[in-house]
Amino acid sequence: MISTVIIEDEPKSRASLAAKLREFCPTVEIVAEAEDGIEGKAMIEEHAPQLVFLDIEMPNLNGFEMLNAIPEKKFNVIFTTAYDQYAIKAIRYAAFDYMLKPVDVEELKAAVAKLSAINTAVIDMQASLLQEKMLHPMKHLNKLAIPTMDGIMFYSINDIVQLEANRNYTNIFFIDKSKITASKTLKEFEELLPVDVFFRAHHSHIINLGYIKRYIKGDGGQIELQTGVYVDVSRRKKEEFLKAIGY
């Protein structure tokens, strides 16, 4: 069983989530519930859960503040939130799971099913990245948390040369010619990466503008990257691309 604490300030939302967990997630055992971050922190310290469902907007101590107040995070976190573009972007940037309220049953089942082994060091790094992104939402951070089949990995975005769509996954290529497969779509990375550094040249490719070796003119044209890889520029993206490189 997965011992779980629910931290949510709205009684109806808290009761609804608890009911869905009991009915649809039989591997989850709710050991405590809390209505704000202060009580939530106390419940985590008392029960040492494996999983925490954490609301963001709460009185006294919000979800992010509560998470940062816990020195060692020995639990997985799934955020629950009403739509907030900056908060959600920060959560995704740090590769935490989240669900919009009201919580969808299928999304809930999927989130519980894909829980990974708890790695305190990784969760601490995710929380640190999340805090920095929340404090500076418009700032381009150097680090990016990338979910892979082996867990959450942290990379410098300056080392990323190219991203390639691979169905519901993304192949990421680095300047040292190494490659990983990330458990996010290319569209998700497009929304996270800084637009003044990365450009979606084609429906299947995003390139780092800093690693362009040359542009070959054509119908849409082709980009040669410093790694020797060639990427097509779609016709509809040609004008935007030329403007991005100041041509």
Side-chain angles (χ1 to χ4, degrees):
M1 296 291 282
I2 303 167
S3 58
T4 302
V5 169
I6 297 173
I7 306 171
E8 163 67 62
D9 71 316
E10 298 174 4
K12 287 184 179 179
S13 294
R14 192 167 64 249
S16 174
L17 176 56
K20 289 172 183 176
L21 285 169
R22 291 188 180 103
E23 183 174 357
F24 300 105
C25 302
T27 60
V28 171
E29 178 189 12
I30 301 169
V31 295
E33 298 180 21
E35 63 181 20
D36 61 36
I38 293 173
E39 186 182 7
K41 182 175 180 290
M43 291 298 100
I44 289 170
E45 291 169 348
E46 179 180 345
H47 295 280
Q50 296 164 292
L51 171 63
V52 172
F53 284 92
L54 183 57
D55 187 19
I56 295 174
E57 292 301 325
M58 296 184 293
N60 302 322
L61 200 67
N62 70 35
F64 296 137
E65 292 167 340
M66 191 220 74
L67 193 62
N68 291 328
I70 297 174
E72 264 196 314
K73 300 158 188 69
K74 299 180 180 180
F75 49 86
N76 281 307
V77 179
I78 298 176
F79 285 100
T80 58
T81 180
Y83 182 77
D84 180 317
Q85 60 174 339
Y86 292 114
I88 289 174
K89 186 168 184 177
I91 290 167
R92 291 169 60 203
Y93 198 92
F96 277 113
D97 267 343
Y98 74 93
M99 290 182 297
L100 294 177
K101 295 187 287 187
V103 171
D104 178 80
V105 168
E106 293 306 315
E107 289 182 6
L108 177 62
K109 288 159 65 176
V112 170
K114 71 177 183 180
L115 288 173
S116 58
I118 297 166
N119 185 323
T120 301
V122 169
I123 295 170
D124 283 342
M125 289 178 70
Q126 285 179 272
S128 176
L129 194 57
L130 174 64
Q131 181 185 26
E132 191 172 357
K133 193 64 179 174
M134 283 301 298
L135 288 173
H136 308 286
M138 306 308 293
K139 180 182 175 183
H140 295 162
L141 304 185
N142 184 45
K143 286 285 183 184
L144 178 67
I146 300 177
T148 71
M149 300 300 288
D150 298 318
I152 306 294
M153 311 294 286
F154 297 84
Y155 292 94
S156 167
I157 62 170
N158 296 329
D159 293 335
I160 299 173
V161 177
Q162 171 200 2
L163 301 93
E164 176 187 49
N166 180 5
R167 297 186 181 179
N168 290 326
Y169 298 87
T170 300
N171 297 326
I172 302 178
F173 301 85
F174 298 90
I175 190 58
D176 63 1
K177 298 194 176 180
S178 62
K179 167 192 165 185
I180 62 168
T181 298
S183 308
K184 280 183 184 288
T185 64
L186 193 67
K187 176 65 175 174
E188 289 177 286
F189 279 109
E190 183 181 19
E191 293 170 352
L192 292 177
L193 293 168
V195 295
D196 59 339
V197 179
F198 290 88
F199 183 82
R200 189 160 186 172
H202 187 274
H203 69 86
S204 296
H205 295 278
I206 294 174
I207 57 104
N208 186 326
L209 295 168
Y211 288 114
I212 296 174
K213 183 176 180 180
R214 64 172 172 152
Y215 171 67
I216 303 166
K217 292 182 180 179
D219 194 13
Q222 260 192 340
I223 299 164
E224 182 185 1
L225 297 169
Q226 290 181 18
T227 51
V229 172
Y230 290 82
V231 173
D232 290 332
V233 178
S234 67
R235 281 181 294 176
R236 66 183 184 84
K237 286 283 191 174
K238 182 177 180 178
E239 185 177 342
E240 186 183 346
F241 170 71
L242 292 175
K243 188 179 294 184
I245 62 173
Y247 187 79

